[in-house]
Amino acid sequence: MDGTIQNYTLDMAADTKKDPLEIKQYDTNSRWARISLVAFKSPWIIPFGCQIHISVRKTDGTLANATCTRETESTVLAPITDQMAAVAGTHLGELYFLGNDGDIRSQTFPVVVRDAVTDLDRLASSDDFQVLKDALREVKTSTEAADIAAQYATEQGNSARDAAQRANDAADSIQVAVDAAAAAKVSETNAKTSEIAAAQTQQEVTDYVEAQKAAFAGYSKRESDSKYANALTETATGEGGVTVEDAWTAPVLGLDVAGKSEQVVTTGAQLLPQPQFNDTKNGITVKTQTDGGISITGTATAAITFTVAEILLQAGQYTLSGLSGLVVGKMYFQLVEISAQGGQFVGELAKVGHVTSATVTIDHDVWARAEIKVLSGVTADSVCYPMLNAGDTALPWEPYTGAAPSPSPDYPQDIISVGTVSTGKQMLNADTIVQGGINADTGATNNASNFVRSDYIPVKPGDYVLSGDGLKSYLNYVMYFNQEKVIQSSLSIKPTNGKFTVTEGTAYIRIRFIAKDGAEGTVIPSEVVALKPMLNTGDIALPWEPYTGGKPSPSVEYPQTLELVVTGAQMFYKSLVTLRGTGAEADITDKRAIKITYTRANGGKYAGFIVDDKSNIVGKTLTISYGSIIPSKSGLTPGIRLYWIDINGSVLSYVVYVNKSPTTITIEDPQNDMATKLALLLYADIGDAAVVNDYVIYKDIMINAGDTPLPWEPYKDRQTAPVTLTEPLHGTGECRDRIACKDGEWGIERYIGVVDNGQWRKLNVASGSAGHRFVYDATDMIEKLNCMVICSKYTRRPKGASFNAIGDYVATDEVGKIFIRTLNPDFETIEAFREFIADAITLYPLATPTWEPFPSATQQALNALTTYAGTTHLTITAGGPAPTVTLDYVKDTHKALEQCYEAAKEYTDNQIATIVAALPTATQAAIVDNQTTKLLQEV
């Protein structure tokens, strides 16, 4: 190439450049600029396959541009055309990069054209679009260009670069080949006026290209997009999800969802059996909560006492606690001596309420009654946790587990992991509830409209409890049947607590529910199902969970969905018009405004919009803000309100009136099973002022999570990636199952193994030692002694040989083996033990994790996840504890620069402060004005 090449540098992250690109007037195609591109003091990589142009705006207002050449990955060779050199003076230039996914412009730089001494009567200055000329020339040679590009693509694919770069470059080159070949054939066939030939040629090229794509191992559009972003990356971690406010719109680069397992562990300090309250007396309602606490609400019309428990206490010292937060001096938790179990009051032992705890010393064995007492006239709204423990120190509340540590065979504790939806305790399959009753004497069924009934439920002798909010008035009869499903008897279920007992000889039960209004009312199955009835063994009502065949879920038989959800900051999706108030309609054509027009005089009320489902929003703090609310005339009093609505869109209950911007509110559970969604109603208290065609305009409504209002932004489409789990994501310590992407493939990496309870073997114990010992060969367990295991029926013994240490526990005192030691005399055979342990869960860490790839649909859904420019929320919707979520994402360069600037400024300020602090006191005193500080900053 003849002529002069001038070296020049441009900063892609800067605004303008002062140093000029210098050329001589009238020079024609003899000067070139080799332009090196940098950003943040490093080479700036040119997006592969993009078109590159140089544009020069001359001082006479005309524009000249030309096509540049990509010389290296960060160097451009730009031609200086005759029109760029036509006018002497200082002009403005820039580089322009045009890619498939967008365009990028360089910083503006001066182009200085020096006066020529010899005027050869050159052509006058004019607009010169060399790029267009090049395109026209390219039509003639595009077929050849296509062949060259396709050949280049193949060569790139077979080069020695690393696999990911090779695949991306090849894909980009192939796309260039497609575009060039298609343009060439279209031009060629147009010249021959043969549209059929053009279409056929283009299809042949397309088929060839797709075949080439398949030939390049590792080709991935997602990888190409991630590479093409060519930006800074960042990592964020959170529990249950992450929120990032400095992301750019780009594919999610990496995602890790780590499992976790939780289990209640008790010390056995609690001496009071758990009461099962669900009753109202003298205006006071007491109810046992799912977490074991006791709620006390209402206003006492007379003094009332509720018995928590009656127990036999041996001589010793005891401490009573757990009534803090109640009405001081008006409500008490007390321990009194009684004559015998169920006997009469003898005397007071201890009382709390006026104090947080009380200690009593008992010098002989006594029967004691623990009571909650509410005095007349007291208005209560509290939850207490009664605790009685031995000793003179009040211990933290814990549930009653037989005054012994748990988990234990008598008091097993469920292991709840990420994704756990059910523990298998639910015995009532709500899908089997049908219309009609059951004859309490014969067991015959009927179609009575005031009853609904369950199917046959297999049971064993023992205690049972049926619970559910609002279910009390529907409780009716439980029918007992033998093995042949012949009715034996019936019993009214206790409306106070839902308890009943199954005796020997009963194999099945059926439950009958009556209408809320009794024999004169009506009831349908869905009415009872909506109250979420829970039937479980024991005398303590457990939290509701779905029916899963008596086994924990997720499982192969009852899989569950874990959902990854990506949303933007804006929660208000205004195009979802779901509610229309009487005589009001909404116009949402304006992107940032909503116009509510009244279609009937004195009747217009509201138009409504969905905010979110109840399951997604209860417990969250929201901030509602708006730019302005403009009524068409005075007399209209517009506003914004939140309401709960049902599945049909009917308004159920009021949440908040938003009469100022911003308004922050925490969304509480409506305690109404019919409520399914939170809705935003644009309201107007119009009185007699409104007539047809009056209107109110609401501008820039913004609803965002948190207590800080965010600037208005449009609603971003909700992205979801459902993952089907057949086993929860377990985790103990550093060993945690995780959802991750490995080598371009999504799946679950399992670090936790689950014991197969059918594989336990019986072993001997130390000679002369009591009890039994059983072993599980965990050959895939991590190879170290006393490693962490979790069992739902036995506490873990950290150290010591299970061969001779008597007790009930689980241990790992040999590599690759899990032992259970027990004193239960019923386990003489391995069959008896396996039957007992069948519903237990035991987890252990794996030496080598396993990999379970997801099906293609899940792969595609996860690959499609992208972050949004600005705020992006990624949340995990699943049962059990919140997982640890780690997100790798593309960062917004502008915000990154701002953060770097702030960090640099903070560093500089700290350095200045350090320097000043080191100066003599007299010198520091002299630094009193801003000018001196400024001088220090410039040093």
Side-chain angles (χ1 to χ4, degrees), residues 749-753 779-783 845-851:
E749 195 168 26
R750 296 280 184 185
Y751 287 79
I752 301 295
T779 56
D780 54 350
M781 185 167 62
I782 192 169
E783 295 183 354
L846 294 172
T848 304
T850 61
W851 177 252

Side-chain angles (χ1 to χ4, degrees), residues 485-506:
K485 296 182 179 179
V486 176
I487 191 168
Q488 293 179 311
S489 61
S490 61
L491 178 71
S492 175
I493 300 175
K494 296 179 181 179
T496 55
N497 53 31
K499 292 183 181 181
F500 59 92
T501 300
V502 172
T503 57
E504 290 289 344
T506 300

